[in-house]
Structure formats: C-alpha cells, structure tokens
Amino acid sequence: MKVAYIRVSTVEQNEARQLEAMKNKGIEKYFTEKVSGKDTNRPQLKAMLDFVREGDTVYIHDFSRLARSTKDLLDIVEQLHNKGVYLISNKENIDTSTPTGKLMLTMIGAIAEFERANLLERQREGIEIARREGKFKGGQVKTIDENKFNRAYAKYQQREITKSEMAEMLHVSRPTLNKLFKNRGL
C-alpha cells in the first residue's frame, strides 16, 4: 500500500504544496496533521507508524516533514525498516527500497553521528579549559528565599497564579520550579 505522511507546523499553514506533490504517486491513504515536528509525539505520525505493514511504502515531501532532528528521522526510518516498510522522500529523491537509497540514508546517519560526537568532544574540551581558568562551576543549585517561595506557593494553591506565573515570580524556569516542588515533596 502507498501511504503519505503530510505535516505542516501550524494551523495557519497550508498542506496544499505537499498534497500536490503526491498527486501522481498513487497514494491510497493519507495521514495529515498540523503540528510542530519538534518531537515524534504526533498523533498522525503514530497512527501512520501503527498502520503500515510489510511491503508498504511511505511517501513524504521532504525529511523535515517527518522529523526535525536527524536522530528522530533515523529512529522513524528504523521503525519503518523493522516493519519491512520503505520510505520515499520527494525532495531529497531518496528511496529506501533501493540500494542507493539505503546507502544515502546510512551516510546521512553516519555524518550526523560523527557531528554529534565532535560536538560533545568540543564541549568537553571547552569545559576543561573553563575549569582550569576557574570559570566553570558546573550546574549551580538555585537558592530561593523560603518566605518568597511559600508566598508564591500559597497563591499557586489558591489558584491565583499558574505554575508558569509562579516560576516567573521566583525568577526560575519551569523545570527548575518542578525540581523545587520535587525536592520539597510537593
């Protein structure tokens, strides 16, 4: 079966360009959504991955429609491969049912993995230099005035403010506020 996955990032955007590109492909089933591709937690993507079977082919307009990061792209392609499903990208002209397509995808993955390893190595080197110069102290624990926290928490409990507003009042990020809650058993 020929399946198409169509995605635009926002409700205001139009998927017509992608649909037009699929017209001559003989698509039998479309999975379309208007949601950010920042992660793979997308209802229609999951539905498409659950739907496809061995021998099916998934068509996409380009790789950015399927995933924003190379890691997510390769994870999705691996899921498809494990099910015996092929992937064809119109824009990149890659077809994983062919030896050349498989090679190109493998090369993309290898380059991404190499770049990630280099990035981590540069990061380690930078941290080491900063440590030697006394500039790097690692992740610092944010200290919050207990009275200020308790006043903000009371407002939060009374539903006068949201968690985001509480974080703003305390000048911390939401993840930091979540850690503060967790450390206090809240």
Side-chain angles (χ1 to χ4, degrees):
M1 178 175 262
K2 293 182 176 183
V3 173
Y5 177 73
I6 309 288
R7 184 189 65 78
V8 291
S9 297
T10 65
V11 176
E12 294 83 27
Q13 290 178 332
N14 189 319
E15 64 274 4
R17 177 177 58 93
Q18 294 177 58
L19 291 168
E20 182 68 28
M22 298 296 168
K23 273 190 176 173
N24 64 347
K25 308 291 184 202
I27 304 298
E28 300 164 79
K29 181 139 178 81
Y30 287 86
F31 291 87
T32 306
E33 59 193 337
K34 295 185 177 196
V35 63
S36 171
K38 71 180 186 315
D39 60 37
T40 58
N41 188 20
R42 291 175 262 149
Q44 288 299 298
L45 175 63
K46 288 180 186 242
M48 183 271 295
L49 291 171
D50 287 342
F51 177 82
V52 291
R53 301 288 179 257
E54 186 174 350
D56 289 351
T57 301
V58 173
Y59 288 81
I60 55 174
H61 183 63
D62 64 59
F63 286 139
S64 71
R65 300 300 86 209
L66 195 57
R68 286 248 186 93
S69 76
T70 305
K71 180 192 178 304
D72 286 347
L73 174 64
L74 293 174
D75 287 347
I76 293 167
V77 170
E78 184 178 353
Q79 287 178 55
L80 293 171
H81 174 75
N82 290 341
K83 292 181 90 170
V85 175
Y86 302 111
L87 176 68
I88 295 178
S89 172
N90 291 341
K91 191 174 180 182
E92 290 86 4
N93 199 24
I94 291 180
D95 178 348
T96 63
S97 69
T98 68
T100 305
K102 287 178 187 171
L103 173 65
M104 292 300 294
L105 198 59
T106 302
M107 288 171 50
I108 290 169
I111 291 167
E113 191 174 322
F114 174 73
E115 184 54 35
R116 177 75 178 142
N118 282 337
L119 175 105
L120 292 173
E121 182 61 28
R122 289 190 303 268
Q123 182 183 38
R124 278 191 294 274
E125 290 169 357
I127 289 171
E128 186 54 40
I129 291 167
R131 276 197 176 117
R132 281 197 310 263
E133 294 175 358
K135 295 178 182 175
F136 182 82
K137 296 174 177 57
Q140 299 297 305
V141 177
K142 186 88 172 181
T143 56
I144 304 283
D145 176 78
E146 280 303 310
N147 290 331
K148 191 174 181 180
F149 179 86
N150 291 335
R151 284 193 302 273
Y153 184 66
K155 285 184 176 188
Y156 171 72
Q157 281 187 306
Q158 296 297 318
R159 299 185 186 271
E160 294 174 23
I161 60 172
T162 65
K163 220 176 195 183
S164 293
E165 291 168 331
M166 183 177 172
E168 206 172 291
M169 283 177 67
L170 298 174
H171 305 290
V172 298
S173 67
R174 273 295 303 273
T176 298
L177 181 62
N178 289 339
K179 286 179 191 170
L180 291 169
F181 272 49
K182 186 176 179 182
N183 292 343
R184 288 173 167 81
L186 303 174

